[in-house]
Amino acid sequence: MPDFASRAGVVLVLMLVTASGAGARLVGDDPARRAVEADERGRHLLDVAIGVEGAMGADLALRLLETGQLHTTGLRREARELVRLRLSGATEPFQPLVVSHRGADSRQQESSVALGIYPVDALSLRCRLAMQFFDPEPQTARGLVLDVAPGLELPPPECRDVLLPQVDVFYRTLSAILAGTLTARERRELLQWEIARRYVGGIGHPMQIAPAAAFIEALGAPRDVTDRLASELGAAVGRIPGSPRALFHVVAEQSWNPVGELLERLPEASRRQLCGELKGFVLRSLQAPRCADLPSDAYPAEALSYLNDTVFVSGPVVSDEAARRPMIGDAPAFTPIWSSARSRAYGRECQDINWDRRTMVKRGETEWTDWKLRYLKFASSLRDWSAISERDDYDYLVEKSSIIAVMLENAPDEASLLEVVEDFVSLVRHANRSKVPSQVLLAHASVSLSRLPEARRKLVLEMFRSGPAPVSAYAEFQLEGVDALRIVPPGGSPGGNK
C-alpha cells in the first residue's frame, strides 16, 4: 500500500542517517544502542511522529525537540532529519494574516487561525528546525536560514488580497543565527554585518519593514553599523511600491512601533533619510487607488495620528501633501463559509443551545430536562448532515467541526459527550479522504479541548487516540504530557509547553 511504503521509506532513511551520523554499530552492548533503548518513551513518541505524513509529522517531531522530550543524541538527530525530510510537505509558504474584519467566517480566516496555532507553514518550519540545529550543528542552522532569499519571495500586496504575510519569525531566527553560529574568524571579518546588510537591503514587501527594523535593533551593532543598516533599510523602502492594503493594516495593528524605536536611536542625518523614505511609502500608499473596503477619505485622521505620533514625530505627514483624491480599487476576495441554508440553520440552532445553557443557572429541573432533550435531538440531527448539502468538503468540515466544538463544551453528561466525540472522529476520517488541511481541523479540536474540564478532556483524548491520524497522534502526545495540540489554558494563548 502507498502509505505503508512511504512510512517504511522514511523510517529506513532515518535509520541510515542515525547510524551513519553516529558512526556506531548498533550491536552487542554498544553504548549508543543502550542509550536509545533507555529512552523508550522518546522512541515511542518519535515513531508516532514518523507515522504522520507531511508538515504535521514535522510539527510533532519539532514539539519533541522544543519541549526536551528526547534524551539521547541519536533520537534528537533522527528527529531533526525527519523534519528536514518533511519540509517540502508544507502547503503554505508563510503564516498569513487576514486583512479585514470582513473576513470573519471565511476560509482565509480559518487558515490564519489554524497556522497561528500550528506553525506548519514552510517559513516557520524552516526557522523552527534551524533553532534545533543551533547547538549541535551551527553551520547547518545557518545554512537553513541563509538559503532563504532576502526578499523571502513574497508576492507584492494588492487590494484584492485577503491575506498578508507575517514574517517576524524569520528575522527573529536570523538574529539568533548571527549571534550564535559565526566563528571567531568570521566575526573578525565582520561577516555578521554583511549578512545583515544583505537581508535588510533586500526587503521588497511592506510587511517586512517593521520586522527588519526590529532586527536591526536586536543585533546590538556598533553605532556606525546601525546607521549603515538603517540607510540600507531606507533605500529598500524607497523601492517598495505604495500599498493601501498594507499601510492600513499597519495602522490597524499599530505594528510600526519597532520603526519608531529604531528612529529614536539614529543620529539626525540617518533619521532624516529613513523618515523621508518611509514618508514616501506612506504618501505613495495614500495616493494609490484605495481598496474598496478601506476608508475613502484621502487622509484618514486616525491613520495619520498613529504614523505621526510613532514615526514622523519631527516631520508629520499633513493632509495637503497630496493633490488628488484616491481612486477606488478592488475589494478583498474572501471565500465565505456557512453559505448554505442548512449550515446557517445548524449554526443558529447551535448558538441558541449554547446561549440557553449559559442562562440556565437559576432554572428548575424541568427546564434542564427540556434543554437536554433539545441538545440530544440536535446532536442526533447532526449525524444526518453530510457534505452533499454544502458547496464542498472544506465548507462542510469546517462548519460541522465548529458546531461539534460547541457541542463538546455543552455536553450534559459523559454519554452525550462520547457520542459527539464519535462524530468528530468520523469527521476526521472524512477530512483525511478529502485532503482538507489537517491544521484547520486540529485547530477546532484544540479550542474545544481547552474549554473542557480536565477529566472530560482526558476522556476525549483517549477516544481521539483510537481514531485516525493525525488527530490520533496529537492525542497520543497530549496524553503523554507533550502539548502538541496547543491546548489553551484559561486566559492563556495557544502554543504553551507542558
Side-chain angles (χ1 to χ4, degrees), residues 129-381:
L129 177 59
M131 294 308 296
Q132 296 308 315
F133 272 110
F134 193 91
D135 288 329
E137 299 180 33
Q139 297 303 311
T140 301
R142 192 202 308 180
L144 281 165
V145 174
L146 298 189
D147 278 348
V148 179
L152 309 188
E153 298 181 353
L154 303 177
E158 299 180 357
C159 276
R160 69 172 66 91
D161 287 339
V162 175
L163 300 169
L164 288 173
Q166 183 177 13
V167 294
D168 306 58
V169 64
F170 176 80
Y171 294 94
R172 290 195 301 268
T173 307
L174 179 60
S175 177
I177 292 297
L178 295 186
T181 67
L182 274 70
T183 65
R185 178 178 178 178
E186 289 170 335
R187 291 194 174 282
R188 287 194 300 271
E189 294 172 351
L190 306 180
L191 179 62
Q192 68 272 37
W193 310 138
E194 175 57 28
I195 293 172
R197 184 201 64 75
R198 181 157 56 93
Y199 277 91
V200 169
I203 71 168
H205 193 289
M207 294 297 286
Q208 291 177 283
I209 295 173
F215 168 67
I216 294 173
E217 280 278 279
L219 286 174
R223 182 171 177 173
D224 62 321
V225 174
T226 298
D227 288 353
R228 288 199 297 273
L229 291 174
S231 177
E232 290 283 352
L233 177 60
V237 171
R239 296 189 292 269
I240 297 176
S243 170
R245 169 66 66 222
L247 177 66
F248 279 84
H249 182 80
V250 162
V251 171
E253 298 298 319
Q254 298 193 355
S255 60
W256 264 16
N257 292 16
V259 179
E261 292 166 6
L262 174 62
L263 287 168
E264 289 177 1
R265 282 194 54 198
L266 298 176
E268 180 61 27
S270 297
R271 183 165 56 247
R272 267 201 318 270
Q273 184 262 344
L274 180 54
C275 265
E277 298 294 0
L278 290 165
K279 184 180 287 190
F281 168 74
V282 169
L283 292 174
R284 290 194 297 277
S285 300
L286 290 173
Q287 295 172 21
R290 186 69 49 81
C291 308
D293 60 311
L294 297 177
S296 59
D297 44 329
Y299 284 86
E302 184 179 353
L304 290 186
S305 176
Y306 168 70
L307 294 169
N308 288 337
D309 291 347
T310 305
V311 179
F312 306 120
V313 178
S314 58
V317 177
V318 294
S319 58
D320 61 356
E321 289 186 81
R324 65 179 179 81
R325 225 176 142 76
M327 299 178 292
I328 300 299
D330 295 332
F334 292 105
T335 307
I337 52 177
W338 305 98
S339 56
S340 74
R342 187 167 192 180
S343 68
R344 291 193 298 269
Y346 275 126
R348 286 192 297 270
E349 178 68 8
C350 182
Q351 288 176 350
D352 290 345
I353 288 173
N354 184 47
W355 174 255
D356 288 348
R357 175 69 178 85
R358 277 150 178 66
T359 58
M360 278 189 6
V361 178
K362 297 182 180 179
R363 297 186 186 183
E365 185 175 340
T366 301
E367 287 84 357
W368 169 253
T369 300
D370 289 344
W371 178 87
K372 183 176 178 180
L373 288 173
R374 182 182 179 189
Y375 175 98
L376 294 174
K377 182 179 179 180
F378 180 64
S380 177
S381 71

Side-chain angles (χ1 to χ4, degrees), residues 432-470:
N432 289 344
R433 293 194 300 270
S434 64
K435 306 301 182 184
V436 171
S438 296
Q439 67 268 17
V440 172
L441 207 60
L442 282 165
H444 290 280
S446 172
V447 172
S448 61
L449 285 165
S450 70
R451 296 171 179 169
L452 295 179
E454 188 64 33
R456 282 195 166 189
R457 183 185 301 165
K458 185 175 181 180
L459 191 64
V460 173
L461 287 169
E462 290 286 1
M463 289 195 67
F464 282 173
R465 180 160 63 178
S466 62

Side-chain angles (χ1 to χ4, degrees), residues 20-152:
S20 61
R25 294 173 301 151
L26 300 183
V27 295
D29 60 352
D30 178 74
R33 183 184 184 109
R34 289 201 306 273
V36 171
E37 289 176 347
D39 192 6
E40 293 181 1
R41 176 176 174 274
R43 176 73 266 168
H44 165 67
L45 290 173
L46 184 53
D47 285 342
V48 172
I50 290 171
V52 177
E53 298 296 328
M56 304 314 290
D59 178 60
L60 288 171
L62 282 166
R63 288 303 274 178
L64 293 177
L65 292 164
E66 292 162 350
T67 57
Q69 307 296 325
L70 303 177
H71 304 303
T72 65
T73 301
L75 284 181
R76 289 192 293 272
R77 179 168 52 248
E78 188 175 340
R80 290 192 297 269
E81 293 303 327
L82 170 64
V83 178
R84 204 201 305 247
L85 288 169
R86 296 285 174 79
L87 284 179
S88 61
T91 57
E92 298 291 339
F94 44 74
Q95 281 201 25
L97 291 170
V98 175
V99 299
S100 169
H101 68 279
R102 298 182 186 182
D105 294 331
S106 68
R107 293 192 183 189
Q108 290 78 14
Q109 176 70 16
E110 289 287 333
S111 177
S112 178
V113 170
L115 288 170
I117 298 175
Y118 299 97
V120 294
D121 58 282
L123 188 62
S124 294
L125 285 178
R126 177 176 290 273
C127 290
R128 292 169 66 193
L129 177 59
M131 294 308 296
Q132 296 308 315
F133 272 110
F134 193 91
D135 288 329
E137 299 180 33
Q139 297 303 311
T140 301
R142 192 202 308 180
L144 281 165
V145 174
L146 298 189
D147 278 348
V148 179
L152 309 188

